Amino acid sequence: MNSLLYAKRWKSLVVHETSEIKMKRKIILSVVAAILISGCEQETMTSSNTEHDLAEQSTTFDSTPDKPMSIVEQKNAQHWDDGRIYITEHNYISYQNNNGKPKYYVFKAKEWPREDLNNKSSYDLPRVVFRWDNGEGETDDYYERKDKVWSIKTDGTDLRLVADEFDGSVRAMRMSPNNRYLALGYWADSGVHKVIKDLKTGEYIDLGKEYGFPNFLWSETSDYLYFFENRKTYKYNIQEKSITEVDVQFNKDSVIYDGKRFVVNKHGVAVYNEGNNKLLYSVSVDLNSKQLEKFVFKEKGISPGGKYAWGESSEYRFLIDVNNRKIYQEKIDLSKPGDYEMLNILSLDAKFARSGGSAQVFLFSLDEEKRIKKSQVWKQIGTGHSATESSLYNAFANNGSFEK
């Protein structure tokens, strides 16, 4: 079902604000925007230099002519019907009236702030990495139209450009738990390339380019990566820079945590001992049911610690409490929103969830039985054709909560 239909079904759950609240939000957002614009300039000034410059400014203020406005300042001084705020010369954001969320318009990606491991403020919330062809339908510039990797906080703020040095159609992405490494699979004429980008050095590590879907799974300490190549499973060791073939079960909806490997399969979750690769237990739907084919998961998701998993079949939705080996389920009724609908990206303790797409976002708060109790809906991108392949990282920040 497409996002437009979902939006219509959830429309009644979005609470519109009073004019008084909107006015307060407008004031707050203007301050936030000023901070964001300042942050994008990425100045690296020491505190002693700052104090010196401020003192110097105080003594020369009266005699120094006004500094010419930058292009960004000139544009933001103009009146824009859509209330846009320019972040760089060609790129801007606009805040949406119903929820104050930023919507991004990126026409020149190279101007946009990149992922910065040294920027602590970028990592105070969990983040989502996703693919986005930001210039598709807007320009003939091939660089702008091609797939790139981006990231954003789970609350829709702090958009960053992660990787643009490759040329192909993105098929899979997974960020390492320490936030340093991006495992990336993309299709090109020469094959399906599997690479690792080191965000600290900018180096790319080639893993292979045989055809086949490029699934990835990081260890919880980010010291090795499982990946698929030519219908086989391999392990890449970061320190040794070595590749070995292994017999390990995993897929894109898997996680390694606390010495265990959690794998969401087509009927439930299998839990393995990561040290010896032995199956510990599994939690699944009724495998003896005569309607088993109606229980096959077509969409899946798993929380960062493996405690919860989600699956959706052609007729049912399931929320799996892996630790307590309990399954909640509902029959799909397309005439109304479901209790377990679109929970593709689960937070640490499944108190929050996000939908799988990144063009239009559904952010959910969940109750004790992990049913949806509150929702927010907003369009996250204003340019490009699509934004997909979302996955969660930096998942333990803010105690796993998707909002502050």
Side-chain angles (χ1 to χ4, degrees):
M1 179 173 296
N2 59 43
S3 59
L4 179 60
L5 183 54
Y6 278 131
K8 289 180 179 178
R9 290 165 58 199
W10 283 98
K11 185 176 181 180
S12 61
L13 299 180
V14 180
V15 179
H16 293 280
E17 300 163 321
T18 67
S19 59
E20 180 181 1
I21 295 175
K22 287 184 179 179
M23 180 61 69
K24 291 180 180 179
R25 185 182 294 279
K26 185 175 182 181
I27 295 172
I28 294 172
L29 290 175
S30 64
V31 176
V32 173
I35 294 173
L36 178 58
I37 293 169
S38 175
C40 290
E41 295 175 355
Q42 297 182 345
E43 296 177 352
T44 56
M45 185 183 299
T46 63
S47 59
S48 60
N49 285 338
T50 302
E51 293 170 357
H52 172 76
D53 290 346
L54 289 174
E56 185 176 75
Q57 289 174 15
S58 66
T59 59
T60 62
F61 180 81
D62 292 336
S63 59
T64 302
D66 290 341
K67 181 181 177 181
M69 294 176 67
S70 68
I71 294 177
V72 171
E73 290 171 331
Q74 292 177 38
K75 289 192 170 186
N76 286 329
Q78 301 178 43
H79 170 75
W80 301 100
D81 291 337
D82 58 1
R84 70 181 64 174
I85 298 173
Y86 276 86
I87 305 304
T88 69
E89 181 178 355
H90 299 97
N91 308 312
Y92 61 88
I93 60 177
S94 65
Y95 289 97
Q96 298 164 71
N97 291 332
N98 65 323
N99 51 32
K101 297 292 187 181
K103 188 176 181 180
Y104 298 90
Y105 296 80
V106 179
F107 300 93
K108 296 291 183 181
K110 288 188 182 297
E111 293 179 2
W112 197 264
R114 300 189 72 98
E115 187 95 359
D116 182 3
L117 295 174
N118 296 317
N119 188 339
K120 293 183 179 180
S121 65
S122 282
Y123 300 99
D124 60 0
L125 278 175
R127 298 184 66 90
V128 173
V129 62
F130 63 99
R131 63 150 291 280
W132 179 22
D133 52 357
N134 62 283
E136 182 65 33
E138 305 289 343
T139 177
D140 292 331
D141 185 332
Y142 177 73
Y143 167 77
E144 299 300 338
R145 291 187 290 108
K146 75 172 187 173
D147 277 4
K148 305 173 200 62
V149 179
W150 304 76
S151 75
I152 199 166
K153 290 182 181 179
T154 45
D155 68 349
T157 62
D158 195 46
L159 177 70
R160 297 279 172 163
L161 178 59
V162 180
D164 61 347
E165 303 88 353
F166 63 96
D167 189 1
S169 178
V170 173
R171 292 292 186 266
M173 296 164 295
R174 289 295 182 274
M175 199 77 83
S176 62
N178 66 0
N179 302 331
R180 176 172 174 174
Y181 301 102
L182 169 71
L184 170 65
Y186 62 92
W187 182 92
D189 290 341
S190 55
V192 179
H193 295 253
K194 276 75 67 177
V195 299
I196 297 174
K197 180 180 179 180
D198 185 336
L199 272 62
K200 183 176 181 179
T201 66
E203 174 191 9
Y204 272 75
I205 302 167
D206 290 322
L207 302 177
K209 59 179 181 180
E210 294 293 331
Y211 287 98
F213 195 86
N215 283 336
F216 300 109
L217 176 61
W218 285 100
S219 69
E220 60 184 302
T221 53
S222 305
D223 56 342
Y224 62 86
L225 171 76
Y226 293 129
F227 67 97
F228 288 169
E229 170 76 353
N230 197 23
R231 299 183 181 180
K232 296 180 181 179
T233 303
Y234 294 89
K235 177 181 178 180
Y236 179 81
N237 186 291
I238 293 290
Q239 294 299 322
E240 298 175 0
K241 298 182 178 180
S242 62
I243 297 177
T244 54
E245 185 177 349
V246 294
D247 182 17
V248 170
Q249 299 296 316
F250 80 97
N251 56 37
K252 69 182 184 67
D253 300 295
S254 304
V255 66
I256 298 173
Y257 184 73
D258 195 26
K260 301 180 182 67
R261 186 171 71 255
F262 301 83
V263 182
V264 186
N265 53 42
K266 64 181 182 179
H267 290 126
V269 180
V271 183
Y272 298 85
N273 183 313
E274 177 61 9
N276 59 25
N277 199 29
K278 299 294 185 182
L279 177 66
L280 298 175
Y281 63 93
S282 62
V283 186
S284 63
V285 299
D286 183 6
L287 299 180
N288 295 317
S289 172
K290 294 180 179 179
Q291 296 184 320
L292 185 59
E293 70 280 358
K294 296 182 180 180
F295 298 154
V296 175
F297 297 169
K298 298 181 181 299
E299 291 191 66
K300 297 175 287 185
I302 189 167
S303 67
K307 291 175 62 176
Y308 297 93
W310 171 80
E312 181 176 288
S313 70
S314 59
E315 296 189 22
Y316 295 90
R317 300 188 188 99
F318 305 88
L319 196 290
I320 304 174
D321 182 338
V322 180
N323 283 2
N324 296 312
R325 308 188 191 189
K326 186 175 182 179
I327 299 179
Y328 303 96
Q329 74 177 59
E330 68 176 357
K331 188 171 177 57
I332 296 175
D333 182 352
L334 298 179
S335 67
K336 62 181 181 180
D339 289 331
Y340 302 110
E341 185 174 7
M342 295 188 294
L343 308 185
N344 304 72
I345 299 176
L346 291 166
S347 70
L348 182 61
D349 292 316
K351 295 180 179 179
F352 293 86
R354 276 177 51 125
S355 54
S358 287
Q360 179 166 260
V361 175
F362 294 78
L363 177 63
F364 303 110
S365 299
L366 309 181
D367 65 16
E368 292 301 317
E369 292 186 341
K370 309 311 172 187
R371 295 172 299 192
I372 296 172
K373 67 177 181 179
K374 181 182 176 182
S375 69
Q376 300 178 58
V377 183
W378 72 91
K379 289 188 176 181
Q380 192 161 264
I381 66 170
T383 57
H385 177 68
S386 62
T388 59
E389 307 302 331
S390 299
S391 62
L392 187 69
Y393 72 106
N394 196 44
F396 292 80
N398 195 38
N399 296 317
S401 296
F402 284 2
E403 290 189 309
K404 287 187 175 180

mmCIF file of all heavy atoms in Angstrom, residues 14 16 41 94-95 165 171 183 192 209 213 222 255 273 276 281 317 325 336 341 364 379 381 394:
data_model
loop_
_atom_site.group_PDB
_atom_site.id
_atom_site.type_symbol
_atom_site.label_atom_id
_atom_site.label_comp_id
_atom_site.label_asym_id
_atom_site.label_seq_id
_atom_site.Cartn_x
_atom_site.Cartn_y
_atom_site.Cartn_z
ATOM 1 N N VAL A 14 -3.735 13.048 13.443
ATOM 2 C CA VAL A 14 -2.810 14.173 13.538
ATOM 3 C C VAL A 14 -3.529 15.354 14.180
ATOM 4 O O VAL A 14 -4.544 15.824 13.677
ATOM 5 C CB VAL A 14 -2.268 14.574 12.151
ATOM 6 C CG1 VAL A 14 -1.315 15.754 12.280
ATOM 7 C CG2 VAL A 14 -1.552 13.394 11.510
ATOM 8 N N HIS A 16 -4.045 19.135 15.062
ATOM 9 C CA HIS A 16 -3.651 20.460 14.603
ATOM 10 C C HIS A 16 -3.518 21.408 15.787
ATOM 11 O O HIS A 16 -4.258 21.316 16.777
ATOM 12 C CB HIS A 16 -4.671 21.001 13.610
ATOM 13 C CG HIS A 16 -4.692 20.216 12.343
ATOM 14 N ND1 HIS A 16 -3.761 20.401 11.346
ATOM 15 C CD2 HIS A 16 -5.514 19.226 11.926
ATOM 16 C CE1 HIS A 16 -4.018 19.568 10.355
ATOM 17 N NE2 HIS A 16 -5.066 18.848 10.684
ATOM 18 N N GLU A 41 28.213 26.187 9.149
ATOM 19 C CA GLU A 41 29.451 26.837 8.746
ATOM 20 C C GLU A 41 30.662 26.127 9.313
ATOM 21 O O GLU A 41 31.791 26.336 8.885
ATOM 22 C CB GLU A 41 29.423 28.293 9.187
ATOM 23 C CG GLU A 41 28.344 29.111 8.490
ATOM 24 C CD GLU A 41 28.246 30.526 9.018
ATOM 25 O OE1 GLU A 41 28.969 30.821 9.990
ATOM 26 O OE2 GLU A 41 27.465 31.309 8.470
ATOM 27 N N SER A 94 11.891 24.074 4.877
ATOM 28 C CA SER A 94 10.672 24.784 5.263
ATOM 29 C C SER A 94 10.013 23.973 6.369
ATOM 30 O O SER A 94 10.035 22.742 6.344
ATOM 31 C CB SER A 94 9.729 24.947 4.071
ATOM 32 O OG SER A 94 9.263 23.688 3.613
ATOM 33 N N TYR A 95 9.471 24.668 7.355
ATOM 34 C CA TYR A 95 8.839 23.998 8.480
ATOM 35 C C TYR A 95 7.356 23.838 8.222
ATOM 36 O O TYR A 95 6.692 24.758 7.752
ATOM 37 C CB TYR A 95 9.081 24.768 9.775
ATOM 38 C CG TYR A 95 10.504 24.675 10.253
ATOM 39 C CD1 TYR A 95 11.419 25.681 9.976
ATOM 40 C CD2 TYR A 95 10.931 23.569 10.974
ATOM 41 C CE1 TYR A 95 12.736 25.591 10.402
ATOM 42 C CE2 TYR A 95 12.245 23.458 11.403
ATOM 43 C CZ TYR A 95 13.143 24.475 11.124
ATOM 44 O OH TYR A 95 14.437 24.383 11.544
ATOM 45 N N GLU A 165 30.447 9.086 -3.175
ATOM 46 C CA GLU A 165 31.618 8.822 -4.009
ATOM 47 C C GLU A 165 31.444 7.615 -4.922
ATOM 48 O O GLU A 165 32.356 7.270 -5.667
ATOM 49 C CB GLU A 165 32.861 8.603 -3.118
ATOM 50 C CG GLU A 165 33.186 9.753 -2.178
ATOM 51 C CD GLU A 165 32.464 9.657 -0.832
ATOM 52 O OE1 GLU A 165 31.606 8.771 -0.674
ATOM 53 O OE2 GLU A 165 32.764 10.473 0.050
ATOM 54 N N ARG A 171 21.163 -0.717 -2.924
ATOM 55 C CA ARG A 171 20.333 -1.873 -2.595
ATOM 56 C C ARG A 171 20.263 -2.146 -1.101
ATOM 57 O O ARG A 171 19.276 -2.667 -0.604
ATOM 58 C CB ARG A 171 20.880 -3.125 -3.306
ATOM 59 C CG ARG A 171 20.724 -3.093 -4.825
ATOM 60 C CD ARG A 171 19.262 -3.183 -5.218
ATOM 61 N NE ARG A 171 19.074 -3.288 -6.654
ATOM 62 C CZ ARG A 171 18.858 -2.267 -7.466
ATOM 63 N NH1 ARG A 171 18.801 -1.037 -6.960
ATOM 64 N NH2 ARG A 171 18.701 -2.437 -8.761
ATOM 65 N N ALA A 183 28.399 0.028 5.714
ATOM 66 C CA ALA A 183 28.384 -1.093 4.772
ATOM 67 C C ALA A 183 27.354 -0.765 3.707
ATOM 68 O O ALA A 183 26.194 -0.482 4.021
ATOM 69 C CB ALA A 183 28.034 -2.393 5.482
ATOM 70 N N VAL A 192 26.983 -6.070 -8.552
ATOM 71 C CA VAL A 192 26.426 -5.536 -7.313
ATOM 72 C C VAL A 192 27.583 -5.365 -6.334
ATOM 73 O O VAL A 192 28.075 -6.333 -5.749
ATOM 74 C CB VAL A 192 25.349 -6.458 -6.721
ATOM 75 C CG1 VAL A 192 24.817 -5.888 -5.412
ATOM 76 C CG2 VAL A 192 24.206 -6.647 -7.704
ATOM 77 N N LYS A 209 31.803 -7.905 -5.915
ATOM 78 C CA LYS A 209 30.821 -7.303 -6.819
ATOM 79 C C LYS A 209 30.043 -8.347 -7.619
ATOM 80 O O LYS A 209 29.537 -8.064 -8.696
ATOM 81 C CB LYS A 209 31.498 -6.313 -7.763
ATOM 82 C CG LYS A 209 32.597 -6.898 -8.641
ATOM 83 C CD LYS A 209 33.165 -5.823 -9.549
ATOM 84 C CE LYS A 209 34.255 -6.381 -10.459
ATOM 85 N NZ LYS A 209 34.803 -5.336 -11.346
ATOM 86 N N PHE A 213 21.613 -10.223 -3.814
ATOM 87 C CA PHE A 213 21.243 -9.165 -2.873
ATOM 88 C C PHE A 213 22.308 -9.017 -1.794
ATOM 89 O O PHE A 213 22.722 -10.008 -1.175
ATOM 90 C CB PHE A 213 19.889 -9.448 -2.228
ATOM 91 C CG PHE A 213 19.311 -8.238 -1.558
ATOM 92 C CD1 PHE A 213 18.561 -7.332 -2.290
ATOM 93 C CD2 PHE A 213 19.545 -7.991 -0.217
ATOM 94 C CE1 PHE A 213 18.036 -6.185 -1.685
ATOM 95 C CE2 PHE A 213 19.028 -6.863 0.391
ATOM 96 C CZ PHE A 213 18.276 -5.951 -0.350
ATOM 97 N N SER A 222 31.523 -3.795 16.319
ATOM 98 C CA SER A 222 31.925 -3.213 15.027
ATOM 99 C C SER A 222 33.281 -3.718 14.536
ATOM 100 O O SER A 222 33.920 -3.083 13.704
ATOM 101 C CB SER A 222 31.973 -1.675 15.116
ATOM 102 O OG SER A 222 30.763 -1.140 15.566
ATOM 103 N N VAL A 255 20.229 -8.791 14.059
ATOM 104 C CA VAL A 255 21.060 -7.962 14.937
ATOM 105 C C VAL A 255 21.870 -8.877 15.843
ATOM 106 O O VAL A 255 21.421 -9.978 16.203
ATOM 107 C CB VAL A 255 20.184 -6.991 15.770
ATOM 108 C CG1 VAL A 255 19.305 -7.740 16.741
ATOM 109 C CG2 VAL A 255 21.035 -5.966 16.490
ATOM 110 N N ASN A 273 23.593 -18.533 19.408
ATOM 111 C CA ASN A 273 24.787 -18.166 20.171
ATOM 112 C C ASN A 273 25.827 -17.677 19.160
ATOM 113 O O ASN A 273 26.266 -18.444 18.309
ATOM 114 C CB ASN A 273 25.309 -19.374 20.945
ATOM 115 C CG ASN A 273 26.517 -19.042 21.812
ATOM 116 O OD1 ASN A 273 27.464 -18.402 21.359
ATOM 117 N ND2 ASN A 273 26.491 -19.511 23.047
ATOM 118 N N ASN A 276 29.395 -19.780 19.144
ATOM 119 C CA ASN A 276 29.535 -21.106 18.537
ATOM 120 C C ASN A 276 28.528 -21.383 17.427
ATOM 121 O O ASN A 276 28.482 -22.485 16.889
ATOM 122 C CB ASN A 276 29.427 -22.198 19.609
ATOM 123 C CG ASN A 276 28.101 -22.148 20.367
ATOM 124 O OD1 ASN A 276 27.089 -21.648 19.864
ATOM 125 N ND2 ASN A 276 28.098 -22.678 21.599
ATOM 126 N N TYR A 281 17.105 -20.894 20.613
ATOM 127 C CA TYR A 281 15.661 -21.088 20.613
ATOM 128 C C TYR A 281 15.063 -20.245 19.491
ATOM 129 O O TYR A 281 15.755 -19.434 18.858
ATOM 130 C CB TYR A 281 15.038 -20.703 21.959
ATOM 131 C CG TYR A 281 15.173 -19.252 22.343
ATOM 132 C CD1 TYR A 281 14.178 -18.325 22.031
ATOM 133 C CD2 TYR A 281 16.293 -18.799 23.042
ATOM 134 C CE1 TYR A 281 14.292 -16.986 22.392
ATOM 135 C CE2 TYR A 281 16.417 -17.457 23.400
ATOM 136 C CZ TYR A 281 15.423 -16.561 23.073
ATOM 137 O OH TYR A 281 15.531 -15.242 23.427
ATOM 138 N N ARG A 317 -0.628 -9.005 11.013
ATOM 139 C CA ARG A 317 0.542 -8.314 11.523
ATOM 140 C C ARG A 317 0.905 -8.920 12.872
ATOM 141 O O ARG A 317 0.025 -9.294 13.655
ATOM 142 C CB ARG A 317 0.291 -6.814 11.679
ATOM 143 C CG ARG A 317 -0.083 -6.119 10.381
ATOM 144 C CD ARG A 317 -0.125 -4.603 10.576
ATOM 145 N NE ARG A 317 -0.675 -3.970 9.372
ATOM 146 C CZ ARG A 317 -1.927 -3.572 9.237
ATOM 147 N NH1 ARG A 317 -2.780 -3.750 10.258
ATOM 148 N NH2 ARG A 317 -2.349 -3.012 8.124
ATOM 149 N N ARG A 325 9.037 -14.648 24.731
ATOM 150 C CA ARG A 325 8.512 -15.624 23.771
ATOM 151 C C ARG A 325 6.989 -15.510 23.628
ATOM 152 O O ARG A 325 6.248 -16.492 23.718
ATOM 153 C CB ARG A 325 8.921 -17.040 24.175
ATOM 154 C CG ARG A 325 10.424 -17.162 24.403
ATOM 155 C CD ARG A 325 10.888 -18.567 24.624
ATOM 156 N NE ARG A 325 12.275 -18.577 25.082
ATOM 157 C CZ ARG A 325 13.035 -19.660 25.204
ATOM 158 N NH1 ARG A 325 12.506 -20.847 24.908
ATOM 159 N NH2 ARG A 325 14.275 -19.587 25.624
ATOM 160 N N LYS A 336 -9.248 0.691 8.328
ATOM 161 C CA LYS A 336 -8.858 1.497 9.483
ATOM 162 C C LYS A 336 -7.384 1.240 9.818
ATOM 163 O O LYS A 336 -6.813 0.219 9.434
ATOM 164 C CB LYS A 336 -9.729 1.158 10.690
ATOM 165 C CG LYS A 336 -9.594 -0.282 11.154
ATOM 166 C CD LYS A 336 -10.496 -0.579 12.349
ATOM 167 C CE LYS A 336 -10.338 -2.024 12.824
ATOM 168 N NZ LYS A 336 -11.213 -2.306 13.997
ATOM 169 N N GLU A 341 0.740 -1.520 12.693
ATOM 170 C CA GLU A 341 0.937 -1.192 11.281
ATOM 171 C C GLU A 341 2.197 -0.349 11.069
ATOM 172 O O GLU A 341 2.455 0.599 11.799
ATOM 173 C CB GLU A 341 -0.285 -0.429 10.766
ATOM 174 C CG GLU A 341 -0.247 -0.135 9.288
ATOM 175 C CD GLU A 341 -1.554 0.491 8.810
ATOM 176 O OE1 GLU A 341 -2.417 0.801 9.664
ATOM 177 O OE2 GLU A 341 -1.716 0.664 7.603
ATOM 178 N N PHE A 364 5.733 6.665 15.451
ATOM 179 C CA PHE A 364 4.730 6.151 16.382
ATOM 180 C C PHE A 364 5.280 6.052 17.803
ATOM 181 O O PHE A 364 6.447 5.700 18.002
ATOM 182 C CB PHE A 364 4.278 4.753 15.956
ATOM 183 C CG PHE A 364 3.730 4.676 14.556
ATOM 184 C CD1 PHE A 364 4.442 4.029 13.559
ATOM 185 C CD2 PHE A 364 2.519 5.263 14.238
ATOM 186 C CE1 PHE A 364 3.952 3.947 12.267
ATOM 187 C CE2 PHE A 364 2.013 5.194 12.947
ATOM 188 C CZ PHE A 364 2.725 4.533 11.962
ATOM 189 N N LYS A 379 6.094 14.949 5.726
ATOM 190 C CA LYS A 379 6.913 14.741 4.537
ATOM 191 C C LYS A 379 8.305 15.267 4.823
ATOM 192 O O LYS A 379 8.483 16.424 5.174
ATOM 193 C CB LYS A 379 6.290 15.437 3.328
ATOM 194 C CG LYS A 379 5.022 14.763 2.842
ATOM 195 C CD LYS A 379 4.541 15.360 1.530
ATOM 196 C CE LYS A 379 3.316 14.595 1.015
ATOM 197 N NZ LYS A 379 2.827 15.140 -0.278
ATOM 198 N N ILE A 381 11.173 15.009 2.663
ATOM 199 C CA ILE A 381 11.943 15.538 1.551
ATOM 200 C C ILE A 381 11.054 16.299 0.586
ATOM 201 O O ILE A 381 9.879 15.977 0.418
ATOM 202 C CB ILE A 381 12.706 14.422 0.799
ATOM 203 C CG1 ILE A 381 11.729 13.458 0.115
ATOM 204 C CG2 ILE A 381 13.639 13.671 1.736
ATOM 205 C CD1 ILE A 381 12.383 12.496 -0.836
ATOM 206 N N ASN A 394 23.124 4.298 15.736
ATOM 207 C CA ASN A 394 23.244 5.132 16.943
ATOM 208 C C ASN A 394 22.032 4.886 17.848
ATOM 209 O O ASN A 394 21.515 5.791 18.509
ATOM 210 C CB ASN A 394 23.331 6.612 16.569
ATOM 211 C CG ASN A 394 23.825 7.483 17.703
ATOM 212 O OD1 ASN A 394 24.783 7.140 18.391
ATOM 213 N ND2 ASN A 394 23.183 8.616 17.910
#
